[in-house]
Amino acid sequence: MESFGIAQTDLIIRQDSLDLKTTILSEIDKRSAAVNDKDLTIRALNNELAKYQVASPQLDKDLTVLFPELQSYSIGQQQYYAKKIV
């Protein structure tokens, strides 16, 4: 402590390390759970998006071979729900 200009002084730090460790681990667990929830949500959304991606480089090649006069095209997913006839 002499380097700080306070000679003949003792610095005593008293802290319960067990409580500090528990608090830190608890906070880490909370943050990990939040990250895991976000990861699950992102994965579910990516899986949902993958269902709607029908275009691929191979499809482009196949269309060019089958329909050489085709200049441009668009692809979409159409959903049709039949009504019950009573």
Side-chain angles (χ1 to χ4, degrees), residues 5-52:
I6 47 176
Q8 298 178 352
T9 304
D10 292 329
L11 176 63
I12 300 173
I13 299 174
R14 296 177 195 241
Q15 183 175 0
D16 188 1
S17 62
L18 186 62
D19 287 341
L20 180 62
K21 181 180 177 181
T22 304
T23 304
I24 291 171
L25 290 175
S26 174
E27 191 64 32
I28 289 172
D29 287 342
K30 287 179 189 175
R31 291 177 190 245
S32 294
V35 169
N36 288 339
D37 288 343
K38 289 177 183 177
D39 286 341
L40 291 174
T41 302
I42 289 170
R43 185 177 300 135
L45 290 171
N46 282 334
N47 289 340
E48 189 69 24
L49 279 174
K51 291 179 189 177
Y52 294 101

Side-chain angles (χ1 to χ4, degrees), residues 48-55 74-81:
E48 189 69 24
L49 279 174
K51 291 179 189 177
Y52 294 101
Q53 294 179 354
V54 292
S74 66
I75 299 175
Q77 184 176 12
Q78 183 178 15
Q79 295 178 345
Y80 174 75
Y81 301 100

